[in-house]
Amino acid sequence: MCENSVFDMSLQDSKAAYVLSNVAEVVERILTFVPTKSLLRIASVCRLWRNCARRVLRTQQQLTWVSASGFSNSEVHALCSILAEEVEKVFLLPKTVLAMVDCETFWGAYCNRQNKAKKSRNSPDTEEINLLFPKGCDIMGITTPGIVLTPSGSCSSPPQEYQEGEAGFAIMFPSMDGVHIKPFHFCKKSISPTALKEAGLVDNPELRVVLLFVYEAYKSGPFLNQILEPLAKSKALIAGGLVESVFSPARHCCSQGAYGVVGLALSGPKVQGASVLLEQDVSNSKTAEAMIRRLKAAKIPERNTLGFMFACVGRGQHYYNNQSNVEADAFRKVFPNTPLFGLFGNGEIGCDRIVKDDYTLCDSDIDGLQHEYTTVMTLVHLG
């Protein structure tokens, strides 16, 4: 009886080995349940598994994210402390990463411009962050006074506003058909008409959405207008804000403390966008929800769509008579299955605009793109 059991087990093992070595359909189905980093390791086993892994990777075109909040016991920011572990679990190959963290805990207790050198915490090494992601992945890391995030795990999780305390997120964008995401970074030394063209910001008929973030903006003077002037004439949606600093990519062209701008240019036929401006007179939950509901007119699909909220540090809880999370809650009421991310910054960039298919609704001049004490609420669809 024992010998028969051993024989049966051996027979079953040999059948399983045959299937896993020869039947691509079965192998491919199994690999869909394997996180991407493990999938890349598995691809080196044999030619069949490598080909199956490649086909699976091509199907992974839905973005994902990692977010963190609350005090971290480690010597680095809460987001950085979990990022390595969480990246092992994702089901996509990141091509571009947009990360934002609160500046106060990232840089330490001495976050003001004069005392950045006196960090009470270790800021993560850019190279260490780069090693978490595939070679060639573009990583944009931003610090800002406040954070808006959706907790990891589900698109329908309630988004949260963090004007104080430790919080951050990293959105991972895979390579997607019909979508081209190009990061850009300019300082006063590197900006030029040629550089803008190379970044896809001018003379690009497929440009649909530009997310841009100005750092050390109080020093920048007319610098920002050099970017906004050509963008205002385009048919792209422009949205972003004035942030504290940038920790990735490394700044080789300018010195520490110099001003500049980073961002993402999103092009391609599958990219759609819409934004609304919540102006200074929007100061209660009812009017905030009514303004956000105007985004529904764009009829943007929910799948593979992100919400972005770029708000002034002067808004939030104090602006709404000590009511917390007003704008994030209003967004969730209107778009319950769309994750929301963003920042509280020192100025907002954007306007009312819809970019869909081959048309743009509502143009704006450069003066209509820069604001204070407002919120720019944005939807970006990636096919």
mmCIF file of all heavy atoms in Angstrom, residues 209-242:
data_model
loop_
_atom_site.group_PDB
_atom_site.id
_atom_site.type_symbol
_atom_site.label_atom_id
_atom_site.label_comp_id
_atom_site.label_asym_id
_atom_site.label_seq_id
_atom_site.Cartn_x
_atom_site.Cartn_y
_atom_site.Cartn_z
ATOM 1 N N VAL A 209 -2.126 66.145 -20.938
ATOM 2 C CA VAL A 209 -2.121 66.567 -19.531
ATOM 3 C C VAL A 209 -0.690 66.899 -19.117
ATOM 4 O O VAL A 209 0.249 66.173 -19.467
ATOM 5 C CB VAL A 209 -2.680 65.466 -18.609
ATOM 6 C CG1 VAL A 209 -2.542 65.869 -17.130
ATOM 7 C CG2 VAL A 209 -4.140 65.174 -18.934
ATOM 8 N N VAL A 210 -0.530 67.990 -18.367
ATOM 9 C CA VAL A 210 0.764 68.342 -17.788
ATOM 10 C C VAL A 210 0.574 68.536 -16.284
ATOM 11 O O VAL A 210 -0.216 69.391 -15.856
ATOM 12 C CB VAL A 210 1.346 69.625 -18.403
ATOM 13 C CG1 VAL A 210 2.683 69.972 -17.748
ATOM 14 C CG2 VAL A 210 1.521 69.469 -19.912
ATOM 15 N N LEU A 211 1.272 67.740 -15.498
ATOM 16 C CA LEU A 211 1.322 67.918 -14.048
ATOM 17 C C LEU A 211 2.661 68.564 -13.734
ATOM 18 O O LEU A 211 3.713 68.006 -14.074
ATOM 19 C CB LEU A 211 1.194 66.571 -13.327
ATOM 20 C CG LEU A 211 -0.057 65.746 -13.632
ATOM 21 C CD1 LEU A 211 -0.001 64.412 -12.891
ATOM 22 C CD2 LEU A 211 -1.326 66.506 -13.253
ATOM 23 N N LEU A 212 2.640 69.741 -13.091
ATOM 24 C CA LEU A 212 3.912 70.418 -12.837
ATOM 25 C C LEU A 212 3.974 70.973 -11.424
ATOM 26 O O LEU A 212 2.967 71.382 -10.844
ATOM 27 C CB LEU A 212 4.189 71.492 -13.884
ATOM 28 C CG LEU A 212 3.204 72.632 -14.092
ATOM 29 C CD1 LEU A 212 3.516 73.786 -13.150
ATOM 30 C CD2 LEU A 212 3.280 73.128 -15.526
ATOM 31 N N PHE A 213 5.209 70.965 -10.891
ATOM 32 C CA PHE A 213 5.434 71.321 -9.493
ATOM 33 C C PHE A 213 6.675 72.216 -9.408
ATOM 34 O O PHE A 213 7.767 71.822 -9.813
ATOM 35 C CB PHE A 213 5.612 70.062 -8.653
ATOM 36 C CG PHE A 213 4.514 69.057 -8.890
ATOM 37 C CD1 PHE A 213 4.708 67.986 -9.761
ATOM 38 C CD2 PHE A 213 3.278 69.208 -8.293
ATOM 39 C CE1 PHE A 213 3.701 67.076 -10.010
ATOM 40 C CE2 PHE A 213 2.249 68.307 -8.541
ATOM 41 C CZ PHE A 213 2.457 67.238 -9.403
ATOM 42 N N VAL A 214 6.466 73.420 -8.882
ATOM 43 C CA VAL A 214 7.540 74.405 -8.780
ATOM 44 C C VAL A 214 8.118 74.353 -7.370
ATOM 45 O O VAL A 214 7.381 74.431 -6.388
ATOM 46 C CB VAL A 214 7.015 75.819 -9.082
ATOM 47 C CG1 VAL A 214 8.166 76.814 -9.141
ATOM 48 C CG2 VAL A 214 6.212 75.829 -10.372
ATOM 49 N N TYR A 215 9.445 74.223 -7.264
ATOM 50 C CA TYR A 215 10.080 74.202 -5.943
ATOM 51 C C TYR A 215 10.907 75.472 -5.742
ATOM 52 O O TYR A 215 11.366 76.079 -6.697
ATOM 53 C CB TYR A 215 10.932 72.947 -5.753
ATOM 54 C CG TYR A 215 12.042 72.758 -6.769
ATOM 55 C CD1 TYR A 215 13.305 73.301 -6.562
ATOM 56 C CD2 TYR A 215 11.835 72.021 -7.934
ATOM 57 C CE1 TYR A 215 14.326 73.123 -7.487
ATOM 58 C CE2 TYR A 215 12.848 71.834 -8.861
ATOM 59 C CZ TYR A 215 14.093 72.384 -8.623
ATOM 60 O OH TYR A 215 15.102 72.209 -9.542
ATOM 61 N N GLU A 216 11.054 75.849 -4.465
ATOM 62 C CA GLU A 216 11.716 77.103 -4.105
ATOM 63 C C GLU A 216 11.096 78.264 -4.891
ATOM 64 O O GLU A 216 11.779 79.161 -5.384
ATOM 65 C CB GLU A 216 13.222 77.019 -4.374
ATOM 66 C CG GLU A 216 13.937 75.891 -3.660
ATOM 67 C CD GLU A 216 14.094 76.112 -2.168
ATOM 68 O OE1 GLU A 216 13.740 77.216 -1.688
ATOM 69 O OE2 GLU A 216 14.565 75.190 -1.473
ATOM 70 N N ALA A 217 9.773 78.259 -4.978
ATOM 71 C CA ALA A 217 9.066 79.180 -5.881
ATOM 72 C C ALA A 217 9.212 80.634 -5.452
ATOM 73 O O ALA A 217 9.122 81.537 -6.295
ATOM 74 C CB ALA A 217 7.588 78.798 -5.940
ATOM 75 N N TYR A 218 9.446 80.901 -4.173
ATOM 76 C CA TYR A 218 9.532 82.278 -3.715
ATOM 77 C C TYR A 218 10.735 83.008 -4.326
ATOM 78 O O TYR A 218 10.790 84.233 -4.333
ATOM 79 C CB TYR A 218 9.617 82.322 -2.177
ATOM 80 C CG TYR A 218 10.939 81.868 -1.603
ATOM 81 C CD1 TYR A 218 11.862 82.789 -1.116
ATOM 82 C CD2 TYR A 218 11.261 80.515 -1.545
ATOM 83 C CE1 TYR A 218 13.081 82.373 -0.595
ATOM 84 C CE2 TYR A 218 12.462 80.092 -1.022
ATOM 85 C CZ TYR A 218 13.368 81.025 -0.542
ATOM 86 O OH TYR A 218 14.572 80.607 -0.022
ATOM 87 N N LYS A 219 11.683 82.245 -4.880
ATOM 88 C CA LYS A 219 12.848 82.844 -5.520
ATOM 89 C C LYS A 219 12.698 82.949 -7.040
ATOM 90 O O LYS A 219 13.529 83.542 -7.709
ATOM 91 C CB LYS A 219 14.097 81.982 -5.246
ATOM 92 C CG LYS A 219 14.407 81.732 -3.784
ATOM 93 C CD LYS A 219 15.595 80.779 -3.675
ATOM 94 C CE LYS A 219 15.896 80.412 -2.226
ATOM 95 N NZ LYS A 219 17.008 79.429 -2.141
ATOM 96 N N SER A 220 11.655 82.336 -7.592
ATOM 97 C CA SER A 220 11.641 82.056 -9.028
ATOM 98 C C SER A 220 11.309 83.248 -9.917
ATOM 99 O O SER A 220 11.658 83.259 -11.092
ATOM 100 C CB SER A 220 10.663 80.911 -9.325
ATOM 101 O OG SER A 220 9.337 81.298 -9.014
ATOM 102 N N GLY A 221 10.607 84.260 -9.396
ATOM 103 C CA GLY A 221 10.271 85.427 -10.216
ATOM 104 C C GLY A 221 9.497 85.024 -11.460
ATOM 105 O O GLY A 221 8.526 84.262 -11.399
ATOM 106 N N PRO A 222 9.933 85.514 -12.646
ATOM 107 C CA PRO A 222 9.210 85.219 -13.892
ATOM 108 C C PRO A 222 9.518 83.843 -14.480
ATOM 109 O O PRO A 222 9.042 83.519 -15.565
ATOM 110 C CB PRO A 222 9.705 86.329 -14.833
ATOM 111 C CG PRO A 222 11.091 86.631 -14.352
ATOM 112 C CD PRO A 222 11.046 86.449 -12.857
ATOM 113 N N PHE A 223 10.307 83.043 -13.775
ATOM 114 C CA PHE A 223 10.731 81.746 -14.300
ATOM 115 C C PHE A 223 9.543 80.869 -14.701
ATOM 116 O O PHE A 223 9.520 80.277 -15.785
ATOM 117 C CB PHE A 223 11.586 81.031 -13.257
ATOM 118 C CG PHE A 223 11.870 79.587 -13.548
ATOM 119 C CD1 PHE A 223 12.832 79.227 -14.484
ATOM 120 C CD2 PHE A 223 11.174 78.579 -12.892
ATOM 121 C CE1 PHE A 223 13.093 77.889 -14.759
ATOM 122 C CE2 PHE A 223 11.435 77.245 -13.156
ATOM 123 C CZ PHE A 223 12.397 76.905 -14.089
ATOM 124 N N LEU A 224 8.530 80.790 -13.841
ATOM 125 C CA LEU A 224 7.391 79.918 -14.097
ATOM 126 C C LEU A 224 6.660 80.316 -15.380
ATOM 127 O O LEU A 224 6.156 79.454 -16.114
ATOM 128 C CB LEU A 224 6.431 79.931 -12.911
ATOM 129 C CG LEU A 224 5.170 79.074 -13.013
ATOM 130 C CD1 LEU A 224 5.509 77.610 -13.292
ATOM 131 C CD2 LEU A 224 4.332 79.186 -11.743
ATOM 132 N N ASN A 225 6.618 81.608 -15.680
ATOM 133 C CA ASN A 225 5.924 82.062 -16.884
ATOM 134 C C ASN A 225 6.550 81.521 -18.161
ATOM 135 O O ASN A 225 5.866 81.381 -19.184
ATOM 136 C CB ASN A 225 5.904 83.592 -16.936
ATOM 137 C CG ASN A 225 4.968 84.184 -15.898
ATOM 138 O OD1 ASN A 225 4.202 83.459 -15.266
ATOM 139 N ND2 ASN A 225 5.041 85.488 -15.709
ATOM 140 N N GLN A 226 7.845 81.206 -18.112
ATOM 141 C CA GLN A 226 8.509 80.665 -19.294
ATOM 142 C C GLN A 226 7.925 79.303 -19.685
ATOM 143 O O GLN A 226 8.001 78.907 -20.846
ATOM 144 C CB GLN A 226 10.012 80.512 -19.036
ATOM 145 C CG GLN A 226 10.752 81.835 -18.903
ATOM 146 C CD GLN A 226 12.232 81.615 -18.649
ATOM 147 O OE1 GLN A 226 12.713 81.735 -17.526
ATOM 148 N NE2 GLN A 226 12.960 81.281 -19.694
ATOM 149 N N ILE A 227 7.354 78.600 -18.706
ATOM 150 C CA ILE A 227 6.719 77.313 -18.988
ATOM 151 C C ILE A 227 5.226 77.490 -19.219
ATOM 152 O O ILE A 227 4.646 76.904 -20.136
ATOM 153 C CB ILE A 227 6.962 76.326 -17.828
ATOM 154 C CG1 ILE A 227 8.461 76.079 -17.665
ATOM 155 C CG2 ILE A 227 6.234 75.013 -18.064
ATOM 156 C CD1 ILE A 227 8.815 75.243 -16.479
ATOM 157 N N LEU A 228 4.595 78.331 -18.397
ATOM 158 C CA LEU A 228 3.144 78.459 -18.477
ATOM 159 C C LEU A 228 2.679 79.165 -19.749
ATOM 160 O O LEU A 228 1.595 78.864 -20.260
ATOM 161 C CB LEU A 228 2.610 79.198 -17.246
ATOM 162 C CG LEU A 228 2.687 78.440 -15.918
ATOM 163 C CD1 LEU A 228 2.045 79.269 -14.811
ATOM 164 C CD2 LEU A 228 2.014 77.081 -16.016
ATOM 165 N N GLU A 229 3.461 80.105 -20.264
ATOM 166 C CA GLU A 229 3.040 80.825 -21.466
ATOM 167 C C GLU A 229 2.792 79.895 -22.654
ATOM 168 O O GLU A 229 1.719 79.942 -23.268
ATOM 169 C CB GLU A 229 4.063 81.912 -21.820
ATOM 170 C CG GLU A 229 3.918 83.154 -20.957
ATOM 171 C CD GLU A 229 4.941 84.217 -21.313
ATOM 172 O OE1 GLU A 229 5.686 84.014 -22.301
ATOM 173 O OE2 GLU A 229 4.998 85.246 -20.619
ATOM 174 N N PRO A 230 3.743 79.023 -23.014
ATOM 175 C CA PRO A 230 3.439 78.106 -24.130
ATOM 176 C C PRO A 230 2.370 77.082 -23.784
ATOM 177 O O PRO A 230 1.584 76.683 -24.656
ATOM 178 C CB PRO A 230 4.790 77.437 -24.416
ATOM 179 C CG PRO A 230 5.600 77.622 -23.178
ATOM 180 C CD PRO A 230 5.145 78.903 -22.584
ATOM 181 N N LEU A 231 2.294 76.660 -22.525
ATOM 182 C CA LEU A 231 1.289 75.672 -22.133
ATOM 183 C C LEU A 231 -0.117 76.264 -22.185
ATOM 184 O O LEU A 231 -1.083 75.577 -22.532
ATOM 185 C CB LEU A 231 1.580 75.135 -20.740
ATOM 186 C CG LEU A 231 2.766 74.178 -20.611
ATOM 187 C CD1 LEU A 231 2.971 73.771 -19.159
ATOM 188 C CD2 LEU A 231 2.571 72.936 -21.479
ATOM 189 N N ALA A 232 -0.244 77.543 -21.819
ATOM 190 C CA ALA A 232 -1.553 78.193 -21.836
ATOM 191 C C ALA A 232 -2.117 78.236 -23.251
ATOM 192 O O ALA A 232 -3.337 78.245 -23.453
ATOM 193 C CB ALA A 232 -1.455 79.596 -21.252
ATOM 194 N N LYS A 233 -1.238 78.278 -24.243
ATOM 195 C CA LYS A 233 -1.676 78.305 -25.641
ATOM 196 C C LYS A 233 -1.986 76.917 -26.181
ATOM 197 O O LYS A 233 -2.565 76.774 -27.257
ATOM 198 C CB LYS A 233 -0.593 78.949 -26.503
ATOM 199 C CG LYS A 233 -0.283 80.389 -26.132
ATOM 200 C CD LYS A 233 0.929 80.902 -26.908
ATOM 201 C CE LYS A 233 1.334 82.300 -26.442
ATOM 202 N NZ LYS A 233 2.567 82.763 -27.120
ATOM 203 N N SER A 234 -1.579 75.893 -25.467
ATOM 204 C CA SER A 234 -1.815 74.527 -25.926
ATOM 205 C C SER A 234 -3.226 74.068 -25.566
ATOM 206 O O SER A 234 -3.974 74.781 -24.885
ATOM 207 C CB SER A 234 -0.801 73.574 -25.288
ATOM 208 O OG SER A 234 -1.127 73.327 -23.931
ATOM 209 N N LYS A 235 -3.579 72.868 -25.999
ATOM 210 C CA LYS A 235 -4.884 72.300 -25.669
ATOM 211 C C LYS A 235 -4.793 71.298 -24.529
ATOM 212 O O LYS A 235 -5.722 70.520 -24.294
ATOM 213 C CB LYS A 235 -5.478 71.625 -26.909
ATOM 214 C CG LYS A 235 -5.813 72.604 -28.023
ATOM 215 C CD LYS A 235 -6.490 71.910 -29.190
ATOM 216 C CE LYS A 235 -6.888 72.918 -30.255
ATOM 217 N NZ LYS A 235 -7.578 72.269 -31.402
ATOM 218 N N ALA A 236 -3.668 71.329 -23.805
ATOM 219 C CA ALA A 236 -3.464 70.383 -22.711
ATOM 220 C C ALA A 236 -4.070 70.894 -21.414
ATOM 221 O O ALA A 236 -4.225 72.096 -21.206
ATOM 222 C CB ALA A 236 -1.972 70.116 -22.519
ATOM 223 N N LEU A 237 -4.407 69.951 -20.545
ATOM 224 C CA LEU A 237 -4.822 70.288 -19.187
ATOM 225 C C LEU A 237 -3.560 70.529 -18.369
ATOM 226 O O LEU A 237 -2.628 69.713 -18.396
ATOM 227 C CB LEU A 237 -5.636 69.138 -18.596
ATOM 228 C CG LEU A 237 -6.206 69.317 -17.188
ATOM 229 C CD1 LEU A 237 -7.492 68.520 -17.048
ATOM 230 C CD2 LEU A 237 -5.226 68.866 -16.105
ATOM 231 N N ILE A 238 -3.507 71.641 -17.642
ATOM 232 C CA ILE A 238 -2.352 71.972 -16.819
ATOM 233 C C ILE A 238 -2.805 72.024 -15.370
ATOM 234 O O ILE A 238 -3.770 72.716 -15.035
ATOM 235 C CB ILE A 238 -1.736 73.325 -17.224
ATOM 236 C CG1 ILE A 238 -1.362 73.315 -18.704
ATOM 237 C CG2 ILE A 238 -0.507 73.631 -16.392
ATOM 238 C CD1 ILE A 238 -2.241 74.169 -19.553
ATOM 239 N N ALA A 239 -2.102 71.298 -14.501
ATOM 240 C CA ALA A 239 -2.470 71.282 -13.092
ATOM 241 C C ALA A 239 -1.236 70.999 -12.249
ATOM 242 O O ALA A 239 -0.334 70.268 -12.668
ATOM 243 C CB ALA A 239 -3.544 70.228 -12.814
ATOM 244 N N GLY A 240 -1.194 71.564 -11.060
ATOM 245 C CA GLY A 240 -0.064 71.327 -10.163
ATOM 246 C C GLY A 240 -0.042 72.344 -9.050
ATOM 247 O O GLY A 240 -1.066 72.922 -8.677
ATOM 248 N N GLY A 241 1.154 72.583 -8.521
ATOM 249 C CA GLY A 241 1.256 73.502 -7.403
ATOM 250 C C GLY A 241 2.687 73.890 -7.087
ATOM 251 O O GLY A 241 3.643 73.394 -7.686
ATOM 252 N N LEU A 242 2.821 74.795 -6.111
ATOM 253 C CA LEU A 242 4.113 75.258 -5.631
ATOM 254 C C LEU A 242 4.463 74.447 -4.392
ATOM 255 O O LEU A 242 3.730 74.480 -3.390
ATOM 256 C CB LEU A 242 4.061 76.749 -5.308
ATOM 257 C CG LEU A 242 4.219 77.727 -6.493
ATOM 258 C CD1 LEU A 242 3.199 77.461 -7.599
ATOM 259 C CD2 LEU A 242 4.106 79.171 -6.008
#
